[in-house]
Amino acid sequence: MNIKKDTLALRASGLCASFDGIEVISDLTFDVREGELLAILGPSGCGKTTSLRLIAGFELATAGSLTIGGESVIESNNFRPPEKRGVGMVFQDYALFPHMTVLENIEYGLQGIEGQHQMTAQALAMTNLTNFGDRRVHELSGGEQQRVALARAIAPQPKLLLLDEPFSNLDPSLRSRVREELHDIVRQTGITTILVTHDQEEALSIADRVAFMTSGKIVQIGSPEEIYLQPASIDVAVFIGETNVLYGVVSNSSVDTPLGTFAASDNGSIAAVLVRPEHLVLSKIGIPATVTHREYYGHDQILRVQLDDTTLVRVRIDSRTHHLPGDRVMISLSEAPLVLAASG
Ligand code: ATP
């Protein structure tokens, strides 16, 4: 199913939430389009799980409104309970009943619903668990348990699927495969999905759009490319991938840094020049530097180099070029850097 650009699956407007009088969600405002996979990305404690719980109806909002599928579920005089929101949720720890079978776990949430056996069979087929129905959950691997949690969430055919850090309990070697499987299932069902994660690779690789959250607010929302290449602030840039940050005072509408002089606004203010390591290259003519460390990753490598004025920068290059600490190199920029106000 394709994303329906004009059909809103969810609209959150000015949602706030507090614990013990301390506001942890402030003015949460965003839309999700039908069929879209939106990732909410942000550092630990920024309010991602609480946002999902507000949407699911497990927490109360102190202000704001929420519509799901065009129907109001939170408004000043209206709170629709979780079971009436048409939302499926996969919890971080899966929250399965370990001694029940896969089938029993899925059917538990379908009691009293007409066609529950067919719904269960469909959910098992979609998650490639058809032959696992009689297995007990505690006998399954982490990846299989995650699929059971997903099957249970999608079995009632919800309008919206909420995934809370769905890969965090998995071994890193399993993660990319399980992520791919989950992405395929979500795509096949066409279900609108909100995924929360603190892993930027996860967000960038599977989301249609990424919402970056910090201190209870969404500070930027956009395609993975927009978020990575045009971060709205230094915080977003640094969280979302490696970045060299160089500061300078703006004068004559430009900022002077050891990597060059770049256009900037607000004469007299401090500007931050952001350069991704992969936007620096080794070249025949360029800025002289000395390699201080080499981090080899197989698919590529990072050289830590010191410019002659002592500034340290990180340069990502292919893994075949061989340089050792102490080697003299020249570096230059392959792309214009992003220049932001240092307070941003
Ligand atoms: P993480 O990535 O570590 O899971 P998060 O971004 O999901 O973090 P939340 O779990 O939503 O963040 O927490 C947001 C803030 O609310 C944190 O400061 C947390 O300590 C606080 N908080 C969350 N749940 C409760 C609760 N039940 N009682 C009191 N404070 C809470």
Side-chain angles (χ1 to χ4, degrees), residues 143-171:
E144 288 160 354
Q145 290 187 19
Q146 203 246 19
R147 275 192 280 148
V148 178
L150 181 63
R152 186 181 60 180
I154 61 176
Q157 298 166 0
K159 290 184 267 190
L160 181 66
L161 179 65
L162 305 176
L163 306 172
D164 189 3
E165 303 267 6
F167 313 107
S168 61
N169 285 328
L170 301 174
D171 199 292

Side-chain angles (χ1 to χ4, degrees), residues 19-20 24-25 42-51 59 92 164-165 196-198 213:
F19 291 114
D20 307 321
V24 297
I25 301 293
S44 182
C46 73
K48 302 180 297 292
T49 296
T50 308
S51 302
E59 300 292 350
Q92 203 165 348
D164 189 3
E165 303 267 6
V196 312
T197 177
H198 62 268
M213 186 168 196

Side-chain angles (χ1 to χ4, degrees), residues 20-180:
D20 307 321
I22 299 168
E23 192 164 85
V24 297
I25 301 293
S26 319
D27 188 17
L28 187 71
T29 299
F30 67 102
D31 290 341
V32 189
R33 299 182 284 245
E34 210 174 293
E36 187 175 34
L37 197 169
L38 178 87
I40 300 182
L41 174 69
S44 182
C46 73
K48 302 180 297 292
T49 296
T50 308
S51 302
L52 280 199
R53 292 176 60 81
L54 274 176
I55 294 167
F58 301 132
E59 300 292 350
L60 289 176
T62 50
S65 63
L66 179 70
T67 61
I68 297 175
E71 292 176 23
S72 167
V73 300
I74 302 177
E75 240 184 337
S76 50
N77 55 355
N78 171 26
F79 172 84
R80 193 180 287 195
E83 65 280 8
K84 299 221 166 105
R85 292 192 181 192
V87 170
M89 184 154 173
V90 175
F91 298 89
Q92 203 165 348
D93 60 1
Y94 311 146
L96 297 167
F97 298 110
H99 296 290
M100 284 192 191
T101 65
V102 169
L103 210 68
E104 286 164 351
N105 264 279
I106 297 173
E107 292 195 334
Y108 188 86
L110 297 171
Q111 286 165 26
I113 298 179
E114 205 181 317
Q116 59 162 286
H117 296 304
Q118 200 194 341
M119 285 171 153
T120 306
Q122 245 175 25
L124 287 174
M126 275 175 189
T127 50
N128 293 323
L129 287 170
T130 302
N131 298 325
F132 285 71
D134 296 329
R135 297 270 296 274
R136 291 190 190 278
V137 162
H138 71 89
E139 299 164 354
L140 303 178
S141 72
E144 288 160 354
Q145 290 187 19
Q146 203 246 19
R147 275 192 280 148
V148 178
L150 181 63
R152 186 181 60 180
I154 61 176
Q157 298 166 0
K159 290 184 267 190
L160 181 66
L161 179 65
L162 305 176
L163 306 172
D164 189 3
E165 303 267 6
F167 313 107
S168 61
N169 285 328
L170 301 174
D171 199 292
S173 61
L174 249 187
R175 253 181 233 176
S176 60
R177 183 169 64 74
V178 174
R179 188 161 73 201
E180 216 173 284

Side-chain angles (χ1 to χ4, degrees), residues 92-344:
Q92 203 165 348
D93 60 1
Y94 311 146
L96 297 167
F97 298 110
H99 296 290
M100 284 192 191
T101 65
V102 169
L103 210 68
E104 286 164 351
N105 264 279
I106 297 173
E107 292 195 334
Y108 188 86
L110 297 171
Q111 286 165 26
I113 298 179
E114 205 181 317
Q116 59 162 286
H117 296 304
Q118 200 194 341
M119 285 171 153
T120 306
Q122 245 175 25
L124 287 174
M126 275 175 189
T127 50
N128 293 323
L129 287 170
T130 302
N131 298 325
F132 285 71
D134 296 329
R135 297 270 296 274
R136 291 190 190 278
V137 162
H138 71 89
E139 299 164 354
L140 303 178
S141 72
E144 288 160 354
Q145 290 187 19
Q146 203 246 19
R147 275 192 280 148
V148 178
L150 181 63
R152 186 181 60 180
I154 61 176
Q157 298 166 0
K159 290 184 267 190
L160 181 66
L161 179 65
L162 305 176
L163 306 172
D164 189 3
E165 303 267 6
F167 313 107
S168 61
N169 285 328
L170 301 174
D171 199 292
S173 61
L174 249 187
R175 253 181 233 176
S176 60
R177 183 169 64 74
V178 174
R179 188 161 73 201
E180 216 173 284
E181 279 173 9
L182 180 132
H183 194 205
D184 288 347
I185 295 165
V186 164
R187 281 280 170 262
Q188 278 159 22
T189 55
I191 189 168
T192 309
T193 303
I194 304 177
L195 161 100
V196 312
T197 177
H198 62 268
D199 180 335
Q200 93 277 5
E201 189 183 297
E202 205 166 286
L204 294 176
S205 61
I206 65 173
D208 298 306
R209 283 190 307 152
V210 177
F212 186 81
M213 186 168 196
T214 182
S215 306
K217 276 196 173 67
I218 287 176
V219 293
Q220 186 174 8
I221 187 161
S223 68
E225 290 85 351
E226 280 164 352
I227 294 272
Y228 187 77
L229 295 172
Q230 284 142 26
S233 68
I234 301 170
D235 283 352
V236 180
V238 169
F239 191 88
I240 215 101
E242 282 202 57
T243 313
N244 295 294
V245 187
L246 300 152
Y247 294 93
V249 177
V250 182
S251 112
N252 296 324
S253 299
S254 63
V255 56
D256 233 347
T257 74
L259 289 177
T261 301
F262 309 101
S265 48
D266 293 332
N267 287 331
S269 67
I270 296 177
V273 174
L274 309 181
V275 182
R276 298 278 185 205
E278 65 272 25
H279 295 160
L280 285 170
V281 290
L282 299 184
S283 51
K284 289 211 168 70
I285 305 167
I287 303 153
T290 305
V291 176
T292 63
H293 289 87
R294 173 180 184 243
E295 295 165 16
Y296 180 74
Y297 293 110
H299 42 72
D300 57 17
Q301 61 183 321
I302 292 269
L303 296 184
R304 278 197 261 160
V305 308
Q306 186 165 41
L307 310 186
D308 288 353
D309 78 335
T310 74
T311 302
L312 288 167
V313 292
R314 291 165 71 79
V315 184
R316 190 184 296 280
I317 59 168
D318 71 89
S319 54
R320 288 200 184 85
T321 309
H322 205 71
H323 276 294
L324 292 172
D327 282 359
R328 291 288 284 167
V329 291
M330 298 277 197
I331 60 167
S332 51
L333 275 92
S334 60
E335 302 223 0
L338 191 69
V339 181
L340 297 175
S343 56

